[in-house]
Amino acid sequence: MFATRHKLSQREREVLYLILLGKDNQNIASEMSLALSTVKVHVHNILKKTGDASRQELIQGFWKMS
């Protein structure tokens, strides 16, 4: 529901899930077999789409909506 409301792509949804699990960018990159720079772009796009300033704000916003 959160991902749909903010129009996150499938890849962004996967990254969001790993963020919610507390993973950092390097661990997300390793787990998804992506370059670190690609993960950073996904995280940036997620924050931009949700209007959050940080990962912590993103996580709080996610749980408030759930």
Side-chain angles (χ1 to χ4, degrees):
M1 188 169 156
F2 181 87
T4 302
R5 173 181 276 179
H6 294 291
K7 299 180 178 156
L8 300 183
S9 70
Q10 185 56 44
R11 215 36 152 172
E12 290 166 346
R13 291 168 191 239
E14 293 169 26
V15 171
L16 172 62
Y17 174 72
L18 295 173
I19 290 171
L20 293 170
L21 292 179
K23 306 231 180 216
D24 63 17
N25 288 353
Q26 186 62 58
N27 286 326
I28 293 171
S30 296
E31 190 160 324
M32 295 180 70
S33 300
L34 297 173
L36 179 58
S37 59
T38 302
V39 173
K40 288 179 181 179
V41 168
H42 286 311
V43 172
H44 172 79
N45 289 340
I46 292 167
L47 293 174
K48 187 175 170 184
K49 287 180 179 182
T50 61
D52 295 313
S54 67
R55 288 167 104 92
Q56 292 76 23
E57 197 175 298
L58 172 66
I59 293 167
Q60 289 173 350
F62 176 86
W63 290 114
K64 283 181 184 173
M65 285 187 69
S66 298

